[in-house]
Amino acid sequence: MAGHIDHGKTSLTKALTNVDTDRLKEEKERQISIELGFAPLYEDNEIQISVIDVPGHERFVRQMIAGVAGIDLVVLVVAADEGVMPQTREHLDILKFLGVKNGLIAISKIDRVEEEFIELVKDDILEELTGTVFEDAPFVLVDSLSKKGIEEIKELIIKMLKEQEMRDAKGAFRLPIDQVFTVKGQGTVVRGTVYEGTVEEGQTLKIMPKGIEVRARQIQVHHNPAEKAYAGQRTAINLSSVAKEEVERGDVLVSSEHFLVTKTLDVAIRLVEDLEHMVKQRMPIKLHLGTTEVMGRIVFFDRNEIKEENGEILCQLRLEDEILTKRGDRFILRRPSPQETIGGGWVIDPRGDKYRFGNQTIEDLEKKKVGTPSERISAVLMEAKSLPLHELIKRTSLDEATLIEHLSEAEFVLYDGKEYTLQQLIDSIEEDIFDRLQDYHQLHSMKIGINKAELLQTMQKRFPKSLLDYVLENGMTNHIFHRKGQFVSLASFVPHVPKNWAKRTENLINGLQRDGLKVRNLKEYFADAGIPDNLEADLRRFLEEEELLIQLDVQFAYHGEVFKQAADKLRSHTGSEFEVGDAKDVLELSRKYMIPFLEKLDALGLTKRVENKRVWKK
């Protein structure tokens, strides 16, 4: 809901949703909206709709910008008894600069004007909106007190949003934070509209630009618990490991390292039509991007001042504080004093540099603005991680021939015969897997490796499984990684007993070897060697894999060499088959050792039991 102060936005929201979004004491007293108000409007199997009621008073334009960023539909509220007013026009400018085109007009308070004048009022308002993004927008006549037109406007909102193309939930998650609060017993909660991507319960995230790592403990969408939240949804997330005081409106919650934190932006801007004051070189400006509000200066490269300009101006914003942004993000520029909206635009390059004044810089920025095909492909793949050709055509707006030509460049990789990705991403994933394996080997030096599913589990939240599998297979081909069954290790890794337990393990093995075939309970050897219980299972497994230890049953185990010699002796002193009594005579063992020993021969496939006899296998 946008529009001039006191034109009935909050009343219309309440009539539609039964929610009073003026919740602050000051708002109740002054009867105006200061903070953003949110209310769920409608939900079915296809769609969820929330209303964001933005303040109309000029002092609260910054909150209005935070509310309008990321929305799908604007209801422009214009009071029938006042018509289009200054803040109505300012809101229209802001919507234009933010690229919002989908909207409808609610002509409110129709019960305050005579019925015969309603058509004249409507014509006046529509004439005022000619030339704006709302000139062809549908309109509804409403009165929030008598409920006239309320059902009609609700049906129109639902219809328009169902016809709108759904937001893309792929790519890295990003949520500009517009509210931070605490819930007793739960901790810090942040709220905002998900710009892009998906977030799920338990996911590790970062608060930028501060770089604070957090976990999404719980998620709510439309005040209901949810396992996931998607692009376009109004979402509250309960965060672990962060205090309320460490987070503020303007911070951004993200899932990826690929978003840039910057203070210098190359931008394309447009100015409002009726600027009151000249815009001058290096003039202080206030940038509103998402929910971020930051001071900076505007730097021109082809002029020193400007008051009127119909076209796009290529320039630079140098900010006092770092912000998180990416190419294509839209923003609003305001003059801090005297306060007024001076224009808006979009980010060409978040990694701006220092350039010379002159036409050459403008030409360079023009090229950068258009973006080379390779840059466009890279930007899309950096976000989506991997895509088939038909998706790249859609997302880059490049034709197939141009795409195929540039996809042959070294920075792009085709895998599985159909998916394209970036060599940069492959290198990054390979490095990540290498580091994870190195850490795992340090902690578990006796294990042959980590289970593949465990290794890739957390990475699958950021990358497609097919891409992770490809990087892993590629790493094995290049002798970086090694795989044995479901276990993955570094190719250079050799399982070993930790250095500080090596001597004790040697004592254990020597003790077993010394006792030959008449061993004690294996636990006694571990105790004698001074090996703690928490190491026992891993060390047993390791010694078995190295064939230094042969476990007969839960109690007894033989030294690997002792077992082999006993098996060879038995084979050489019996024919093709033998009975238990024959084995006892050869090895001089009691029944408590003999039966587990013979069953181990069966388990290892050296013998096969046939009734009361055992037959040697070749």
Side-chain angles (χ1 to χ4, degrees):
M1 299 283 176
H4 191 75
I5 184 175
D6 201 30
H7 273 210
K9 298 184 297 300
T10 303
S11 299
L12 180 54
T13 300
K14 187 175 180 181
L16 283 166
T17 65
N18 294 318
V19 175
D20 185 355
T21 56
D22 278 352
R23 63 200 184 287
L24 299 182
K25 180 173 179 248
E26 188 185 358
E27 292 177 332
K28 294 284 189 192
E29 290 171 355
R30 295 171 57 183
Q31 295 188 323
I32 61 169
S33 300
I34 299 170
E35 291 294 332
L36 302 170
F38 304 95
L41 172 69
Y42 177 82
E43 181 175 348
D44 63 18
N45 291 334
E46 282 183 72
I47 199 165
Q48 288 176 314
I49 304 172
S50 285
V51 178
I52 305 176
D53 174 21
V54 297
H57 192 276
E58 63 90 14
R59 282 176 56 202
F60 309 127
V61 167
R62 74 181 185 90
Q63 282 93 331
M64 180 263 172
I65 293 165
V68 84
I71 58 91
D72 297 299
L73 173 74
V74 171
V75 177
L76 183 69
V77 183
V78 185
D81 58 346
E82 285 196 336
V84 175
M85 297 291 282
Q87 269 72 58
T88 315
R89 294 189 183 91
E90 185 166 26
H91 283 206
L92 282 168
D93 281 334
I94 289 167
L95 295 171
K96 177 179 74 177
F97 295 137
L98 292 175
V100 177
K101 298 187 176 80
N102 198 22
L104 64 92
I105 302 154
I107 299 176
S108 64
K109 304 186 181 183
I110 56 171
D111 282 1
R112 291 198 182 183
V113 297
E114 299 294 329
E115 200 165 329
E116 57 266 30
F117 286 113
I118 286 180
E119 281 302 312
L120 290 172
V121 168
K122 186 184 78 178
D123 289 343
D124 282 347
I125 290 170
L126 295 181
E127 189 178 332
E128 284 276 1
L129 296 174
T130 301
T132 73
V133 290
F134 278 80
E135 67 176 329
D136 296 318
F139 64 89
V140 182
L141 302 172
V142 296
D143 191 275
S144 300
L145 297 178
S146 65
K147 299 292 197 290
K148 285 178 187 171
I150 296 301
E151 276 308 307
E152 185 186 347
I153 194 170
K154 185 173 180 177
E155 286 171 15
L156 184 57
I157 289 169
I158 295 166
K159 178 176 178 287
M160 289 177 75
L161 284 170
K162 284 194 173 185
E163 288 172 354
Q164 183 163 310
E165 190 176 330
M166 296 298 286
R167 283 177 182 244
D168 191 351
K170 290 182 182 175
F173 167 74
R174 176 165 58 144
L175 179 138
I177 296 167
D178 57 46
Q179 290 178 342
V180 187
F181 52 95
T182 53
V183 174
K184 195 172 182 180
Q186 297 293 320
T188 304
V189 177
V190 299
R191 191 181 280 156
T193 302
V194 183
Y195 262 34
E196 53 197 330
T198 306
V199 64
E200 56 187 79
E201 220 169 66
Q203 189 171 348
T204 300
L205 305 166
K206 270 195 174 176
I207 297 169
M208 300 298 283
K210 297 180 174 82
I212 302 170
E213 192 166 289
V214 293
R215 188 172 57 83
R217 259 203 302 237
Q218 293 174 308
I219 297 172
Q220 280 195 356
V221 176
H222 291 240
H223 303 291
N224 294 318
E227 289 182 7
K228 290 185 177 183
Y230 301 91
Q233 288 185 321
R234 185 78 198 148
T235 305
I237 304 177
N238 176 211
L239 301 177
S240 67
S241 312
V242 68
K244 175 181 178 286
E245 293 71 30
E246 295 177 84
V247 194
E248 58 190 321
R249 174 153 71 180
D251 288 341
V252 187
L253 197 59
V254 298
S255 65
S256 169
E257 300 288 334
H258 298 306
F259 288 110
L260 281 166
V261 172
T262 181
K263 291 171 79 171
T264 307
L265 315 179
D266 293 342
V267 298
I269 66 167
R270 290 180 183 272
L271 301 181
V272 298
E273 287 183 12
D274 302 313
L275 265 179
E276 288 187 33
H277 304 88
M278 190 83 72
V279 176
K280 296 186 176 181
Q281 176 75 291
R282 299 185 182 274
M283 181 187 91
I285 49 91
K286 195 177 283 187
L287 170 76
H288 297 270
L289 191 151
T291 58
T292 301
E293 176 188 355
V294 61
M295 292 294 295
R297 293 185 179 274
I298 189 165
V299 177
F300 297 116
F301 300 104
D302 59 348
R303 65 196 78 200
N304 285 309
E305 59 182 31
I306 185 170
K307 189 162 185 192
E308 286 184 20
E309 176 68 60
N310 293 325
E312 230 171 19
I313 303 160
L314 303 182
C315 57
Q316 193 172 78
L317 303 178
R318 295 182 188 168
L319 309 175
E320 292 181 7
D321 299 301
E322 287 187 323
I323 64 164
L324 180 139
T325 186
K326 60 185 275 195
R327 178 181 166 91
D329 278 357
R330 291 185 168 270
F331 59 83
I332 301 297
L333 292 179
R334 303 200 81 224
R335 187 193 305 273
S337 180
Q339 289 191 11
E340 66 170 332
T341 299
I342 60 174
W346 62 281
V347 177
I348 296 172
D349 186 354
R351 297 158 296 192
D353 206 343
K354 288 196 173 178
Y355 313 122
R356 291 178 180 275
F357 188 92
N359 290 333
Q360 184 58 52
T361 293
I362 297 299
E363 286 174 26
D364 292 343
L365 288 175
E366 193 67 54
K367 286 177 192 169
K368 196 186 280 193
K369 174 186 153 189
V370 174
T372 67
S374 293
E375 286 169 345
R376 283 157 74 174
I377 298 167
S378 291
V380 167
L381 286 176
M382 186 59 82
E383 192 171 331
K385 308 302 184 273
S386 77
L387 288 172
L389 186 65
H390 67 89
E391 275 293 322
L392 277 170
I393 292 169
K394 275 198 294 188
R395 298 201 192 191
T396 61
S397 302
L398 296 170
D399 62 83
E400 188 171 344
T402 304
L403 254 178
I404 290 171
E405 179 191 342
H406 288 277
L407 285 168
S408 65
E409 294 168 9
E411 64 187 291
F412 306 113
V413 176
L414 175 68
Y415 73 96
D416 286 356
K418 58 182 181 181
E419 293 279 323
Y420 285 94
T421 189
L422 292 167
Q423 184 61 52
Q424 178 184 347
L425 284 176
I426 290 173
D427 294 343
S428 170
I429 294 169
E430 188 179 275
E431 188 179 335
D432 194 354
I433 292 174
F434 188 96
D435 291 344
R436 285 165 188 261
L437 288 174
Q438 199 168 52
D439 291 345
Y440 187 85
H441 293 329
Q442 284 178 353
L443 289 171
H444 309 281
S445 65
M446 292 182 287
K447 292 185 178 180
I448 59 170
I450 184 172
N451 189 297
K452 180 190 167 191
E454 186 184 342
L455 172 67
L456 302 183
Q457 185 181 12
T458 54
M459 298 179 76
Q460 278 178 221
K461 292 178 180 177
R462 294 184 290 133
F463 302 102
K465 185 177 181 299
S466 60
L467 179 55
L468 294 173
D469 286 341
Y470 169 77
V471 176
L472 205 52
E473 292 296 326
N474 195 51
M476 286 189 275
T477 303
N478 294 327
H479 307 293
I480 299 166
F481 309 128
H482 174 72
R483 183 173 171 182
K484 185 177 181 181
Q486 78 267 36
F487 296 103
V488 180
S489 67
L490 292 175
S492 58
F493 174 70
V494 177
H496 58 278
V497 176
K499 194 179 283 185
N500 51 334
W501 298 110
K503 187 64 182 171
R504 297 188 187 195
T505 303
E506 190 182 331
N507 293 340
L508 182 152
I509 292 296
N510 290 340
L512 270 177
Q513 190 168 24
R514 188 173 53 247
D515 290 348
L517 292 173
K518 296 177 181 177
V519 291
R520 294 172 288 146
N521 189 311
L522 183 59
K523 272 195 165 296
E524 293 181 36
Y525 291 95
F526 276 91
D528 289 350
I531 293 168
D533 292 345
N534 64 332
L535 272 183
E536 187 178 322
D538 280 353
L539 187 52
R540 277 190 192 208
R541 195 183 305 112
F542 170 76
L543 293 174
E544 279 194 276
E545 284 166 356
E546 296 293 308
E547 297 181 358
L548 289 167
L549 180 148
I550 305 293
Q551 189 91 35
L552 300 185
D553 57 16
V554 291
Q555 288 189 71
F556 301 119
Y558 284 161
H559 186 284
E561 193 57 38
V562 170
F563 179 88
K564 183 178 180 300
Q565 287 170 2
D568 290 345
K569 182 178 179 181
L570 184 59
R571 187 190 283 267
S572 64
H573 285 77
T574 57
S576 60
E577 58 184 34
F578 63 93
E579 294 182 1
V580 174
D582 300 328
K584 287 175 74 174
D585 291 341
V586 172
L587 298 178
E588 300 177 348
L589 282 175
S590 66
R591 188 175 181 83
K592 79 171 180 179
Y593 294 121
M594 194 74 258
I595 298 305
F597 177 80
L598 294 178
E599 286 176 349
K600 191 65 178 181
L601 290 178
D602 296 340
L604 293 173
L606 296 172
T607 57
K608 181 181 179 183
R609 185 173 176 175
V610 181
E611 295 177 348
N612 291 328
K613 295 183 177 181
R614 278 182 169 78
V615 178
W616 287 104
K617 290 186 177 181
K618 289 182 181 178

PDB file of all heavy atoms in Angstrom, residues 301-313:
ATOM      1  N   PHE A 301      31.474  11.814 -14.156  1.00  0.00           N
ATOM      2  CA  PHE A 301      32.684  11.765 -14.982  1.00  0.00           C
ATOM      3  C   PHE A 301      32.545  12.586 -16.269  1.00  0.00           C
ATOM      4  O   PHE A 301      33.490  12.708 -17.044  1.00  0.00           O
ATOM      5  CB  PHE A 301      33.026  10.312 -15.335  1.00  0.00           C
ATOM      6  CG  PHE A 301      33.269   9.461 -14.121  1.00  0.00           C
ATOM      7  CD1 PHE A 301      32.315   8.557 -13.682  1.00  0.00           C
ATOM      8  CD2 PHE A 301      34.440   9.602 -13.383  1.00  0.00           C
ATOM      9  CE1 PHE A 301      32.531   7.787 -12.551  1.00  0.00           C
ATOM     10  CE2 PHE A 301      34.667   8.838 -12.253  1.00  0.00           C
ATOM     11  CZ  PHE A 301      33.707   7.937 -11.836  1.00  0.00           C
ATOM     12  N   ASP A 302      31.339  13.173 -16.471  1.00  0.00           N
ATOM     13  CA  ASP A 302      31.133  13.964 -17.696  1.00  0.00           C
ATOM     14  C   ASP A 302      30.442  15.288 -17.418  1.00  0.00           C
ATOM     15  O   ASP A 302      29.998  15.971 -18.332  1.00  0.00           O
ATOM     16  CB  ASP A 302      30.319  13.160 -18.711  1.00  0.00           C
ATOM     17  CG  ASP A 302      28.946  12.749 -18.168  1.00  0.00           C
ATOM     18  OD1 ASP A 302      28.716  12.893 -16.944  1.00  0.00           O
ATOM     19  OD2 ASP A 302      28.116  12.276 -18.971  1.00  0.00           O
ATOM     20  N   ARG A 303      30.313  15.678 -16.153  1.00  0.00           N
ATOM     21  CA  ARG A 303      29.656  16.946 -15.793  1.00  0.00           C
ATOM     22  C   ARG A 303      29.996  17.276 -14.349  1.00  0.00           C
ATOM     23  O   ARG A 303      30.482  16.413 -13.606  1.00  0.00           O
ATOM     24  CB  ARG A 303      28.141  16.834 -15.981  1.00  0.00           C
ATOM     25  CG  ARG A 303      27.495  15.834 -15.030  1.00  0.00           C
ATOM     26  CD  ARG A 303      26.103  15.437 -15.474  1.00  0.00           C
ATOM     27  NE  ARG A 303      26.149  14.480 -16.557  1.00  0.00           N
ATOM     28  CZ  ARG A 303      25.160  14.227 -17.407  1.00  0.00           C
ATOM     29  NH1 ARG A 303      24.030  14.891 -17.305  1.00  0.00           N
ATOM     30  NH2 ARG A 303      25.276  13.322 -18.344  1.00  0.00           N
ATOM     31  N   ASN A 304      29.690  18.511 -13.952  1.00  0.00           N
ATOM     32  CA  ASN A 304      29.939  18.925 -12.576  1.00  0.00           C
ATOM     33  C   ASN A 304      28.657  19.268 -11.829  1.00  0.00           C
ATOM     34  O   ASN A 304      28.662  19.396 -10.604  1.00  0.00           O
ATOM     35  CB  ASN A 304      30.894  20.111 -12.527  1.00  0.00           C
ATOM     36  CG  ASN A 304      32.328  19.672 -12.805  1.00  0.00           C
ATOM     37  OD1 ASN A 304      32.824  18.732 -12.186  1.00  0.00           O
ATOM     38  ND2 ASN A 304      32.979  20.324 -13.757  1.00  0.00           N
ATOM     39  N   GLU A 305      27.576  19.455 -12.579  1.00  0.00           N
ATOM     40  CA  GLU A 305      26.289  19.695 -11.933  1.00  0.00           C
ATOM     41  C   GLU A 305      25.166  19.361 -12.914  1.00  0.00           C
ATOM     42  O   GLU A 305      25.395  19.264 -14.122  1.00  0.00           O
ATOM     43  CB  GLU A 305      26.164  21.148 -11.451  1.00  0.00           C
ATOM     44  CG  GLU A 305      26.295  22.179 -12.550  1.00  0.00           C
ATOM     45  CD  GLU A 305      26.223  23.606 -12.019  1.00  0.00           C
ATOM     46  OE1 GLU A 305      26.651  23.837 -10.872  1.00  0.00           O
ATOM     47  OE2 GLU A 305      25.735  24.472 -12.761  1.00  0.00           O
ATOM     48  N   ILE A 306      23.966  19.184 -12.365  1.00  0.00           N
ATOM     49  CA  ILE A 306      22.839  18.804 -13.222  1.00  0.00           C
ATOM     50  C   ILE A 306      21.542  19.148 -12.506  1.00  0.00           C
ATOM     51  O   ILE A 306      21.441  19.026 -11.289  1.00  0.00           O
ATOM     52  CB  ILE A 306      22.915  17.293 -13.547  1.00  0.00           C
ATOM     53  CG1 ILE A 306      21.824  16.917 -14.528  1.00  0.00           C
ATOM     54  CG2 ILE A 306      22.829  16.440 -12.308  1.00  0.00           C
ATOM     55  CD1 ILE A 306      21.996  15.515 -15.067  1.00  0.00           C
ATOM     56  N   LYS A 307      20.564  19.586 -13.281  1.00  0.00           N
ATOM     57  CA  LYS A 307      19.243  19.818 -12.698  1.00  0.00           C
ATOM     58  C   LYS A 307      18.155  19.120 -13.498  1.00  0.00           C
ATOM     59  O   LYS A 307      17.157  18.689 -12.941  1.00  0.00           O
ATOM     60  CB  LYS A 307      18.934  21.303 -12.593  1.00  0.00           C
ATOM     61  CG  LYS A 307      17.658  21.530 -11.785  1.00  0.00           C
ATOM     62  CD  LYS A 307      17.507  22.925 -11.274  1.00  0.00           C
ATOM     63  CE  LYS A 307      16.267  23.008 -10.366  1.00  0.00           C
ATOM     64  NZ  LYS A 307      15.905  24.376 -10.064  1.00  0.00           N
ATOM     65  N   GLU A 308      18.373  19.016 -14.810  1.00  0.00           N
ATOM     66  CA  GLU A 308      17.379  18.329 -15.643  1.00  0.00           C
ATOM     67  C   GLU A 308      18.076  17.359 -16.573  1.00  0.00           C
ATOM     68  O   GLU A 308      19.072  17.689 -17.191  1.00  0.00           O
ATOM     69  CB  GLU A 308      16.588  19.345 -16.476  1.00  0.00           C
ATOM     70  CG  GLU A 308      15.588  20.144 -15.666  1.00  0.00           C
ATOM     71  CD  GLU A 308      14.758  21.066 -16.553  1.00  0.00           C
ATOM     72  OE1 GLU A 308      14.702  20.811 -17.768  1.00  0.00           O
ATOM     73  OE2 GLU A 308      14.208  22.034 -16.018  1.00  0.00           O
ATOM     74  N   GLU A 309      17.551  16.153 -16.640  1.00  0.00           N
ATOM     75  CA  GLU A 309      18.103  15.152 -17.551  1.00  0.00           C
ATOM     76  C   GLU A 309      17.061  14.061 -17.711  1.00  0.00           C
ATOM     77  O   GLU A 309      16.613  13.469 -16.730  1.00  0.00           O
ATOM     78  CB  GLU A 309      19.399  14.558 -16.974  1.00  0.00           C
ATOM     79  CG  GLU A 309      20.001  13.444 -17.791  1.00  0.00           C
ATOM     80  CD  GLU A 309      20.541  13.911 -19.135  1.00  0.00           C
ATOM     81  OE1 GLU A 309      21.445  14.779 -19.158  1.00  0.00           O
ATOM     82  OE2 GLU A 309      20.050  13.403 -20.154  1.00  0.00           O
ATOM     83  N   ASN A 310      16.652  13.803 -18.942  1.00  0.00           N
ATOM     84  CA  ASN A 310      15.616  12.792 -19.172  1.00  0.00           C
ATOM     85  C   ASN A 310      16.195  11.372 -19.244  1.00  0.00           C
ATOM     86  O   ASN A 310      15.524  10.408 -18.922  1.00  0.00           O
ATOM     87  CB  ASN A 310      14.847  13.082 -20.472  1.00  0.00           C
ATOM     88  CG  ASN A 310      14.028  14.364 -20.340  1.00  0.00           C
ATOM     89  OD1 ASN A 310      13.520  14.652 -19.261  1.00  0.00           O
ATOM     90  ND2 ASN A 310      13.922  15.124 -21.416  1.00  0.00           N
ATOM     91  N   GLY A 311      17.436  11.278 -19.700  1.00  0.00           N
ATOM     92  CA  GLY A 311      18.020   9.950 -19.906  1.00  0.00           C
ATOM     93  C   GLY A 311      18.763   9.421 -18.696  1.00  0.00           C
ATOM     94  O   GLY A 311      18.744  10.006 -17.608  1.00  0.00           O
ATOM     95  N   GLU A 312      19.427   8.289 -18.902  1.00  0.00           N
ATOM     96  CA  GLU A 312      20.207   7.651 -17.853  1.00  0.00           C
ATOM     97  C   GLU A 312      21.573   8.319 -17.739  1.00  0.00           C
ATOM     98  O   GLU A 312      22.188   8.652 -18.746  1.00  0.00           O
ATOM     99  CB  GLU A 312      20.398   6.158 -18.203  1.00  0.00           C
ATOM    100  CG  GLU A 312      20.043   5.241 -17.092  1.00  0.00           C
ATOM    101  CD  GLU A 312      20.031   3.778 -17.498  1.00  0.00           C
ATOM    102  OE1 GLU A 312      20.628   3.413 -18.527  1.00  0.00           O
ATOM    103  OE2 GLU A 312      19.427   3.007 -16.770  1.00  0.00           O
ATOM    104  N   ILE A 313      22.040   8.525 -16.522  1.00  0.00           N
ATOM    105  CA  ILE A 313      23.353   9.119 -16.270  1.00  0.00           C
ATOM    106  C   ILE A 313      24.253   8.033 -15.678  1.00  0.00           C
ATOM    107  O   ILE A 313      23.877   7.380 -14.696  1.00  0.00           O
ATOM    108  CB  ILE A 313      23.245  10.295 -15.270  1.00  0.00           C
ATOM    109  CG1 ILE A 313      22.258  11.348 -15.792  1.00  0.00           C
ATOM    110  CG2 ILE A 313      24.607  10.908 -15.017  1.00  0.00           C
ATOM    111  CD1 ILE A 313      21.730  12.269 -14.714  1.00  0.00           C
TER     112      ILE A 313
END
